[in-house]
Amino acid sequence: MNHFYGKSFLKETDFSAAELNYLIDFAIHLKSLKKQHITHQYLAGKNIALLFEKSSTRTRSAFTVAANDLGAHPEFLGKNDIQFGNKESVADTAKVLGSMFDGIEFRGFKQKTVSDLAEYGGVPVWNGLTDDWHPTQMIADFMTLKEKFGSLKGLTLTYVGDGRNNVANSLLVTGAILGVNVHIGAPSNLQPTAPILEIAKKKAAQSGAKLLITDDPEAAVEGADALYTDVWVSMGEDVDYDKRIKQLLPYQINNDLLHKTGKKESIVLHCLPAFHDTKTTIGSKLLDAHKLDALEITDDVFQSKQSVVFREAANRMHAIKSIMAVTLGNLFIPESLFD
Ligand code: CP
Ligand code: NVA
């Protein structure tokens, strides 16, 4: 059986640099197969459950299309469709789903839920986002960086905004594992927590990545090959939006901040969805109230040539396909790659 067979994908720290690099490279390979219309049905006949406690456009679509391309059948189970958590425990649900499905995706609140699903389900479980981590997003993001720059080691990625949300946590530790320098620009109360920073520092000491956590947005972006931001309030957060907006406005990705990287070729990423214009109901209300045109990223930067946000979104499907194929498919993967 291959190196990944039967494993779950719950958080990045469970994987080595060689393993994450393999997943990224295999995603790039699968993208090329799809472009050439070469079939890759590594999961023919398998059934996959897609559990969503929180809403999603990209992750749900990516899992659905990736499963279909791999020859598997995906089944969406939304939070109101099943008893999960309300009338039935996570463990019981996991046992039932694991007896019928070959793999389970979960998006929701607690990291413990996804790890319990893996513990009791007996089949591979994939984390489609929790409050703590967004690991499938990382394979797509670092894949996008690799496509753009050719290699990862030594690149500098700056994340500005809410520096202690799931995406920031994941970028910090994944960069640290892969040898990508990660800068986080965020106000002190929104910087990575001590346990996350501790993990990242350990990983960085092994890979040679340099980490910088600062409340100075200009210092954070200096020398960055890539700028990254995310929404200022994440799903499930109960915070005062107005206070958060005032606090994070200095960390908005706009042309001014982009120029301060000092590099002409810096690219811009965002996991999406983004408040870059007034064309959403929530966004337009907030922007109106604060007399702003955009929140975490301005529309001109979002639409600019330097922005790779839609390539990044498209790569979610190839990344998720890579993860599902190797953990559930019987592929030949030489063990020597991971010595
Ligand atoms: N980036 C991301 O996870 O998007 P969705 O919330 O639409 O799945
Ligand atoms: N931090 C965001 C990511 C969305 C993909 C959230 O959790 O809402």
Side-chain angles (χ1 to χ4, degrees):
M1 286 299 165
N2 91 59
H3 180 81
F4 294 92
Y5 191 77
K7 286 192 184 154
S8 289
F9 193 72
L10 305 178
K11 56 186 191 309
E12 301 81 347
T13 48
D14 296 338
F15 295 86
S16 67
E19 290 168 334
L20 294 177
N21 276 314
Y22 183 88
L23 292 172
I24 293 164
D25 290 342
F26 192 50
I28 292 172
H29 171 69
L30 290 168
K31 184 173 180 176
S32 138
L33 290 187
K34 172 118 182 171
K35 201 169 167 200
Q36 297 173 72
H37 306 288
I38 298 171
T39 54
H40 39 277
Q41 301 210 329
Y42 298 117
L43 303 186
K46 308 266 192 211
N47 288 289
I48 287 161
L50 307 180
L51 251 67
F52 282 81
E53 275 182 347
K54 289 179 179 171
S55 58
S56 164
T57 299
R58 277 143 292 272
T59 309
R60 176 178 174 179
S61 308
F63 268 99
T64 304
V65 174
N68 283 319
D69 283 357
L70 290 168
H73 173 82
E75 187 64 31
F76 178 79
L77 304 168
K79 68 172 187 320
N80 298 322
D81 301 329
I82 59 171
Q83 312 285 13
F84 191 60
N86 299 322
K87 216 171 137 187
E88 192 159 29
S89 70
V90 176
D92 290 359
T93 309
K95 286 176 194 167
V96 173
L97 294 181
S99 72
M100 299 184 195
F101 289 95
D102 301 288
I104 302 168
E105 179 276 352
F106 171 79
R107 163 173 287 202
F109 297 89
K110 294 190 196 117
Q111 183 69 19
K112 180 154 175 18
T113 308
V114 80
S115 55
D116 280 355
L117 283 172
E119 185 176 342
Y120 298 103
V123 295
V125 172
W126 308 293
N127 179 356
L129 177 147
T130 59
D131 290 343
D132 297 351
W133 307 107
H134 198 2
T136 66
Q137 179 78 47
M138 292 306 111
I139 302 304
D141 291 349
F142 286 88
M143 169 188 180
T144 308
L145 288 177
K146 192 157 189 182
E147 286 179 332
K148 280 285 168 191
F149 295 104
S151 63
L152 293 174
K153 234 177 158 56
L155 290 176
T156 297
L157 168 75
T158 294
Y159 175 95
V160 281
D162 176 6
R164 51 106 192 87
N165 73 10
N166 39 21
V167 171
N169 288 346
S170 281
L171 286 169
L172 185 64
V173 302
T174 308
I177 294 170
L178 294 174
V180 173
N181 307 320
V182 182
H183 298 178
I184 305 246
S188 57
N189 65 321
L190 295 177
Q191 290 180 358
T193 60
I196 299 287
L197 200 51
E198 208 45 49
I199 297 169
K201 278 184 183 162
K202 273 196 194 134
K203 299 288 182 192
Q206 289 160 12
S207 72
K210 294 186 199 82
L211 308 179
L212 172 71
I213 316 292
T214 174
D215 62 2
D216 178 351
E218 290 188 24
V221 303
E222 199 186 334
D225 299 293
L227 290 192
Y228 197 121
T229 192
D230 184 10
V231 288
W232 286 345
V233 177
S234 285
M235 288 182 278
E237 262 196 291
D238 187 16
V239 293
D240 180 344
Y241 237 116
D242 296 334
K243 217 171 121 193
R244 186 65 67 82
I245 289 172
K246 281 186 194 122
Q247 211 187 5
L248 286 180
L249 204 52
Y251 302 86
Q252 180 190 63
I253 297 189
N254 50 39
N255 261 314
D256 221 30
L257 197 65
L258 184 55
H259 282 132
K260 293 200 168 118
T261 63
K263 292 197 171 180
K264 284 213 169 69
E265 308 294 319
S266 312
I267 61 168
V268 177
L269 295 102
H270 190 310
C271 54
L272 305 182
F275 289 124
H276 60 95
D277 60 19
T278 53
K279 294 175 188 159
T280 63
T281 41
I282 297 177
S284 67
K285 267 193 213 143
L286 292 168
L287 294 169
D288 250 17
H290 289 265
K291 301 198 177 11
L292 292 169
D293 299 323
L295 293 182
E296 72 271 11
I297 182 167
T298 56
D299 195 48
D300 51 354
V301 173
F302 187 88
Q303 309 288 0
S304 73
K305 280 210 182 92
Q306 283 162 274
S307 163
V308 294
V309 296
F310 290 112
R311 170 190 283 261
E312 180 188 3
N315 282 344
R316 295 293 308 288
M317 199 281 285
H318 309 293
I320 282 168
K321 190 186 284 179
S322 166
I323 296 160
M324 285 201 292
V326 301
T327 52
L328 201 51
N330 189 14
L331 283 76
F332 171 67
I333 303 173
E335 197 54 42
S336 56
L337 291 173
F338 309 103
D339 288 345

